Amino acid sequence: LGSAPVTIVVTSEADTWDIDTSSCLGCGHFVDRHKMPEPQQPAPIPRDVLGRPPKELKRLAREGCWGRSPAGRARLYPRLIQQVSCRLVTPDALVYRDVAARLFGKPSVSSHPLPEFLEGCPVPTYCLNEHGVTALKKILICVGALFPDVTHSPLLPALAALLLHYSEDEAQCFESVSRLLASNAPHAGYVDQSFLAHQASCMTFGDLANKHCPAAHKLIAGAAENVLEVYSEWLSWLFPGLPFGYAVRVLDVFLLEGQKVLYRIALALLKEFRLSVGPAGLQGSDVKAELQAFARNIAQHVTVDKLLERAFGIRLFSRKEIWLLQMANRKALVERGITVAQRRPSFHLAVDMQKFSSSTVTAQEMRLVWSWIPERFSLFPPLLLFSTSEDGCSLQRFYACCEGYEPTVLLIKTTEGEVCGAFLSSDWSERKKSGATSGFFGTGECFVFTVRPEAERYEWVFIKKPELAKAVPRSRQRSPSPAPESPLGSSRDSRGSSPNHLAVPSAHRRGRLSPFLAIRHFLLPSKTASMFMSGSRDGIVIGKG
């Protein structure tokens, strides 16, 4: 940016806010211009920019076309947000003025309790002056009054603060925030509004990091006791973690493309973080603190243009596939007892691998394997279904013990002491659907891995190259209902009835959520592209083609 990063001031988390309206009535200037890192010059924005095709509009936003001056963003942000599809009854600027007049009408100091959704969430002020900080507090208090269903939203304070920099007045900023909260676009949400939704997003980011940043993921899994806890802070790397000049460039594309953009930027940050770590790794370091410090000092490592370029170079799956994954993670959290109304988990979500015992792998090795499997399954402790030391070496016995459960992890130790294995997303009983022939089944989440002598994972080729598989047209897809409150299913015996264990849903549950990376969502180039797992009387096959 050509200047030092802006220091971000975070307001104290008191139980109440004192709002002084005696000195800022009618003021519309909320920014300390001396803190703004951008040059004050006209922005070369085409007059018909909003009439451009969506693809070109995204390109202009990614290239920072309207980031040359505050005036450019001030003109475009409200118009972009007006195009967001939202609920019919959404509070607007007029509603804000009415509510604000009742709450803060008299020119005096008044105290107001913090909105529920701000509990434990930092409130960044970026380049706002004293009047701007007061306006931000008023906006957030009114959001709490008019959106009582919003119970947990770490992104919301930063989003409101950034929009306020480019708003004519408080009412316009409030209306912009309201429309983003009330968005009803399919598979394209903007703001998580409950702890359940936020935690599902954190798990989804963990899944994406696992697939797209394997080197960084392996580094974190080796240094952190709880990988999910590290990924649970992914949003704070961006807001309030990034300096102001970077944060507004992220906002430019976020308003056009939604939450998927945030995943991209955070994944790019994670890749850059891995490059910044020396050969010694993170031994003895506080991984969460290291990541937060890296985000704050990102200007020392990569420019904002290069960061965005690398973020959009990551080949993510479609918004629909990511939505499916997020809904699956949400269901797993519900299975663990997390509710929409809950603000914090009442128990530790991660699995304690120090209690794990096996003659095949060590607890440390199992912790790495557990970090590789999808987040929604890693919430649950491993349940031993079959072991050659206890059940013998019969393949039929193996099938009998494993049928009725999905997913499963297979661990194999060779006579030479090497260890390999596979994550298998589907129930072994599906092999019976092929009759006498040995048919393949499973989903793109299946993968094989080695633990010794070297730890390595080998995934479906379309994870890294999604362009090889075309998405099935929406008219041919069957979109399942999220139904987050319904259980994942019941087990064939008492072991699966505990909330600590996942079991395959029963056969009559036809409406259950489709698995992530199911092959029916893709037009694959050949049958070999979907040969995930197969079982017969003669043996098992995992991966082929």
Side-chain angles (χ1 to χ4, degrees), residues 195-366:
F195 177 78
L196 175 62
H198 172 64
Q199 196 63 28
S201 295
C202 293
M203 291 168 62
T204 301
F205 175 77
D207 285 321
L208 295 174
N210 197 349
K211 298 181 185 304
H212 296 283
C213 308
H217 180 80
K218 187 176 180 180
L219 179 76
I220 292 171
E225 289 292 327
N226 186 342
V227 179
L228 177 57
E229 195 173 293
V230 175
Y231 290 146
S232 291
E233 296 188 355
W234 75 278
L235 199 53
S236 67
W237 305 344
L238 309 182
F239 310 108
L242 291 175
F244 176 77
Y246 285 65
V248 289
R249 285 291 300 276
V250 175
L251 183 63
D252 289 345
V253 286
F254 171 73
L255 294 179
L256 276 172
E257 303 183 48
Q259 192 178 41
K260 186 177 177 180
V261 163
L262 304 186
Y263 288 137
R264 285 187 179 280
I265 305 296
L267 289 172
L269 271 176
L270 201 56
K271 285 177 175 284
E272 293 297 325
F273 173 72
R274 176 63 187 93
L275 294 174
S276 73
V277 176
L282 294 170
Q283 296 177 357
S285 301
D286 182 341
V287 182
K288 292 195 291 184
E290 292 279 348
L291 278 162
Q292 294 287 0
F294 179 80
R296 285 195 303 272
N297 301 307
I298 187 63
Q300 299 175 14
H301 303 276
V302 63
T303 65
V304 65
D305 288 311
K306 185 60 69 174
L307 181 68
L308 288 172
E309 179 185 326
R310 291 173 182 170
F312 288 102
I314 299 172
R315 302 304 300 265
L316 289 184
F317 279 102
S318 68
R319 187 179 284 114
K320 168 73 176 287
E321 276 294 309
I322 292 176
W323 175 81
L324 281 172
L325 177 58
Q326 195 153 334
M327 290 300 101
N329 286 332
R330 185 181 174 113
K331 289 188 71 173
L333 287 167
V334 171
E335 185 77 356
R336 283 300 307 269
I338 303 296
T339 65
V340 173
Q342 190 165 333
R343 288 178 290 176
R344 291 290 187 279
S346 55
F347 50 84
H348 200 49
L349 283 174
V351 176
D352 183 7
M353 281 299 171
Q354 296 307 316
K355 299 177 182 178
F356 177 81
S357 177
S358 168
S359 61
T360 306
V361 290
T362 66
Q364 179 72 12
E365 289 171 335
M366 192 58 177

Side-chain angles (χ1 to χ4, degrees), residues 19 177 187 274 290 293 395 408 427 450 540:
I19 303 296
V177 171
H187 316 140
R274 176 63 187 93
E290 292 279 348
L395 187 58
T408 52
D427 184 356
T450 58
I540 62 175

Side-chain angles (χ1 to χ4, degrees), residues 356-378:
F356 177 81
S357 177
S358 168
S359 61
T360 306
V361 290
T362 66
Q364 179 72 12
E365 289 171 335
M366 192 58 177
R367 192 172 74 180
L368 177 60
V369 172
W370 220 241
S371 78
W372 283 336
I373 73 174
E375 293 282 3
R376 63 189 185 278
F377 303 127
S378 66

Side-chain angles (χ1 to χ4, degrees), residues 96-205:
Y96 174 80
R97 292 189 181 99
D98 180 57
V99 172
R102 286 189 279 112
L103 289 175
F104 322 111
K106 296 180 180 180
S108 62
V109 176
S110 57
S111 293
H112 303 268
L114 261 69
E116 181 183 5
F117 63 82
L118 285 182
E119 184 179 334
C121 300
V123 182
T125 56
Y126 295 110
C127 303
L128 296 177
N129 57 24
E130 183 180 349
H131 299 317
V133 173
T134 297
L136 175 62
K137 292 178 179 180
K138 292 167 66 179
I139 291 166
L140 293 175
I141 288 170
C142 287
V143 168
L146 291 166
F147 290 86
D149 292 338
V150 179
T151 56
H152 184 77
S153 187
L155 174 61
L156 189 51
L159 185 60
L162 288 170
L163 289 172
L164 188 58
H165 286 69
Y166 305 101
S167 298
E168 289 180 359
D169 53 25
E170 298 167 18
Q172 185 188 65
C173 180
F174 171 84
E175 181 170 332
S176 295
V177 171
S178 291
R179 291 189 68 84
L180 296 176
L181 283 171
S183 168
N184 59 6
H187 316 140
Y190 285 90
V191 185
D192 291 331
Q193 300 173 32
S194 67
F195 177 78
L196 175 62
H198 172 64
Q199 196 63 28
S201 295
C202 293
M203 291 168 62
T204 301
F205 175 77

